[in-house]
Amino acid sequence: MSSMGPADTLGGLLAAWRHDLFVGRAAELDLFRAALGAEEPAFRMLFLVGPGGVGKTTLLDAYAAIVDEAVTCVVRIDGRDVVGTPAGVTEALAGTVDIAPGDAAIRLPYGERLVLLVDGWERLSAVESWLRERLLPRLPASTIVVVASREPPGPEWRADPAWSELLRIVSLRNLEQADVRRYLDRRGVRADRHADVLSLTYGHPLALSLLADRLRRDPDADLTTLPMDVVAGLLRWLVADVPSVAHQRALEVSAVARTTSEGLLRAVVADTGDPHLVFQWLAGLSVTELRTGGLVPHDLVRDVLDADLRRRDPDGYREVFRAVRADTLARIRGSEGRAQQHAIADLKFLFRNLRSVLAPVEWQTWGNEYPDRARPADHQAIEDLVRTGEGDDSAALVRRWLDRQPDGFHVIRGMDGTVRGVLALLDLTVVTPADRDADPGTAAAWRFAQSTAPVRAGESVGHCRFIVDSEVYQGPSATLNAVPVLTLQRQLATPHLAWDFVTLAEPDRWNDYFAAADMPRAVGADFVVGGRRYGLFGHDFRRVPVELMTERWTERALADDALLQPAAVPEPELLVLARGDFADAVKQALRDLHRPDLLRRNPLLRTRCVAGHEDADGLGKLLHTAVATLADDPRDDQLYRALQTTYVRASRTQEAAAAALGLPFSTYRRHLRQGHDRVVAWLWRRELGLSEHR
């Protein structure tokens, strides 16, 4: 049966129009032509596998046109129009070929070769065994069968050595950029809109068609995100027949998460379905692929599912997003090394749709490559790379830091193992002032920290320095992708981290990105090396710890507002007090121990040491505990009694307290002062996150 009607019919006109719009698929066309022209084709059955809307039917149209040119007998059936029984399939074929009863060979009415084109093969799954074992073997030996299916052939095809020799599987992917531009030209879409269409569709044929239609109607249409009518149209093709609520939720999880594992589904869908069965269903879809760590949907499918859920059910989207985030944070806290880096990459991926921060990140390769700690053999390559990217002055600084902190350097390697990118994670609190001052970047970071919220004893300051990729310097790359992974890993692993900084050239272009990441520009801390200006971006983790920082990212992502100061995050920023100010606040709190109205004003309530005791009553209990620690050691009995009498029992005056203790006033004052110092020291250790033992 010809797929093209006479030229003077509407069918002929439609066929000609489709032929003119057909682009790409050169390899698939050549493969089919070669088989058609060979006496002994390399295959007898060709499986075209791909998700809905990827162009399987259009390619079958092109095959049918080639067959017409070859004057070969062609039969075309569509599983969506055929009753899925042996009788239904036989009836569909009987209109063209002679099918005798029983198992007799099927004869051709004309031509020397039969080409059987079957669309919607997945709809014929109920009779697949019958087709493989009973019907297809009856076709002439020269027959070529082309099947278009959303699902790959079942294992039975490969398990049969004979069929596996005659079978060829081709996975249809999206169109190449050049083919997309040719198609858009033929549809009359302006050249200046091609990049917008490419970024939204990834070259998916159905999405291209729908967006081209939109732009023909409205050439200036806003394509910041996929239009809802396009989303709805794509959903009908990409994902159909979702069995249950649990399966729908699994699809939604796969759109939000970087990879979807059975463990993640166990955390999210266990209350509505069997996670194992749901994962198996998800893995069987043509729109997902199994990769390291779990299942990944095709890019367009992810975007369509994400956009649909965001707009259709905002509360459901928030629920899925937070569930994925909670599972990811748990994996981060429970892992280390490379496994933790993978989990951090999963966490950062959640925030990819915050539009104002997309630019610096190469999401297409995100999570594919990870940094290695530099080895001594890499040092010369690192120095050369920085010299090429930033000049001799920076190279000299790198040489100095490689000598001082070699373990702080990390590299991205090429396929041949050579260094293609570098970055350094420096600790500014374990070097001499002379070393800090010798580098204008570390000197600027230290000055900013000390002038803004000074670093206290026991705390550390980190600095990500010398970010250089061999190909794009500080452009989107695997090297730049490594920065948030390594810095967040350090921030999680450093218990007494005060400040953490990142240095980048051309700092103005990074302002929005780092503001959204809660690492704003360090105003007034720009510096120059080798004639190039650099900026610092920093965060004080004593004020806003890592967990609270990720919660802020979450609220911004859900609101799609990069600069949102989330009202939904109740925790106040922590106050960072110098040791002297901290001691004064402790002494004042002891004096006000029985005055809740005054304790509520004490700055200790906004410090880390009071975490979990954030009201006047809680602060009072913490002070009682601090005083009570002195009762554990008989040597401290006099100090304990001085504090107990003065503050816990609330003597009217210090003179009265000295009299009650039977001590000279000067002795009492010495004991009280030493008791103050012990309580301050105990609370200060809590403030720094250190052990509370003396």
Side-chain angles (χ1 to χ4, degrees), residues 65-241:
I66 293 172
V67 172
D68 282 349
E69 295 170 0
V71 196
T72 298
C73 181
V74 59
V75 179
R76 185 167 182 176
I77 64 174
D78 192 325
R80 291 162 293 196
D81 303 326
V82 174
V83 178
T85 64
V89 175
T90 301
E91 181 182 352
L93 293 173
T96 305
V97 297
D98 297 325
I99 303 180
D103 293 331
I106 296 173
R107 303 299 177 187
L108 304 184
Y110 65 90
E112 298 180 356
R113 170 168 283 163
L114 170 66
V115 173
L116 175 59
L117 305 176
V118 185
D119 207 352
W121 174 268
E122 69 277 357
R123 299 298 183 99
L124 301 175
S125 59
V127 292
E128 186 172 350
S129 295
W130 173 80
L131 286 166
R132 182 179 61 254
E133 298 167 6
R134 302 291 300 277
L135 180 67
L136 296 182
R138 297 172 60 190
L139 297 175
S142 62
T143 298
I144 294 176
V145 181
V146 182
V147 166
S149 176
R150 293 188 177 201
E151 313 299 338
E156 297 83 3
W157 294 92
R158 295 172 183 271
D160 185 325
W163 267 120
S164 65
E165 284 295 318
L166 300 178
L167 193 66
R168 177 74 64 87
I169 303 171
V170 172
S171 178
L172 283 191
R173 313 300 292 177
N174 292 347
L175 296 173
E176 299 291 338
Q177 287 195 19
D179 295 326
V180 170
R181 294 183 185 278
R182 277 195 294 273
Y183 174 80
L184 294 175
D185 282 337
R186 295 176 186 181
R187 290 294 305 271
V189 176
R190 294 197 322 250
D192 65 313
R193 302 310 310 271
H194 290 188
D196 293 336
V197 175
L198 275 165
S199 67
L200 283 177
T201 66
Y202 304 94
H204 185 275
L206 177 60
L208 282 171
S209 178
L210 293 172
L211 276 185
D213 182 62
R214 164 62 73 92
L215 290 173
R216 281 174 61 86
R217 289 182 280 114
D218 181 5
D220 298 312
D222 179 15
L223 294 184
T224 306
T225 58
L226 281 169
M228 274 309 295
D229 59 331
V230 175
V231 170
L234 289 170
L235 276 175
R236 287 194 295 270
W237 281 87
L238 293 171
V239 183
D241 303 324

Side-chain angles (χ1 to χ4, degrees), residues 597-649:
D597 57 323
L598 297 179
L599 282 180
R600 278 192 287 271
R601 304 178 195 172
N602 194 286
L604 288 177
L605 285 174
R606 292 183 54 202
T607 62
R608 182 164 52 185
C609 84
V610 188
H613 305 272
E614 291 90 353
D615 57 20
D617 184 56
L619 176 56
K621 290 178 180 178
L622 183 63
L623 291 169
H624 277 89
T625 300
V627 171
T629 60
L630 298 178
D632 298 337
D633 190 336
R635 292 172 298 178
D636 292 333
D637 181 64
Q638 292 177 320
L639 313 186
Y640 170 69
R641 292 175 61 216
L643 293 171
Q644 274 284 107
T645 303
T646 306
Y647 301 121
V648 178
R649 296 175 185 167

Side-chain angles (χ1 to χ4, degrees), residues 493-558:
T494 307
H496 317 307
L497 182 63
W499 285 94
D500 202 17
F501 293 97
V502 174
T503 287
L504 289 161
E506 302 176 41
D508 293 347
R509 70 189 178 106
W510 302 98
N511 286 343
D512 289 344
Y513 175 76
F514 280 97
D518 240 34
M519 289 191 71
R521 181 86 164 268
V523 179
D526 288 6
F527 62 94
V528 175
V529 174
R532 175 178 286 172
R533 185 166 66 94
Y534 298 86
L536 289 168
F537 300 86
H539 182 94
D540 186 346
F541 286 89
R542 300 163 299 182
R543 296 180 183 273
V544 180
V546 173
E547 295 284 348
L548 178 53
M549 182 173 69
T550 62
E551 179 62 24
R552 289 183 171 185
W553 297 348
T554 300
E555 290 302 316
R556 287 168 184 152
L558 293 174

Side-chain angles (χ1 to χ4, degrees), residues 569-592:
V569 182
E571 299 92 337
E573 288 193 4
L574 296 178
L575 189 64
V576 180
L577 297 174
R579 175 67 185 257
D581 295 333
F582 184 90
D584 291 343
V586 171
K587 293 173 185 176
Q588 187 60 52
L590 287 169
R591 296 187 195 104
D592 299 334

Side-chain angles (χ1 to χ4, degrees), residues 41-56:
F43 58 86
R44 292 298 195 281
M45 189 166 185
L46 176 62
F47 255 91
L48 302 175
V49 182
V54 81
K56 299 184 297 295

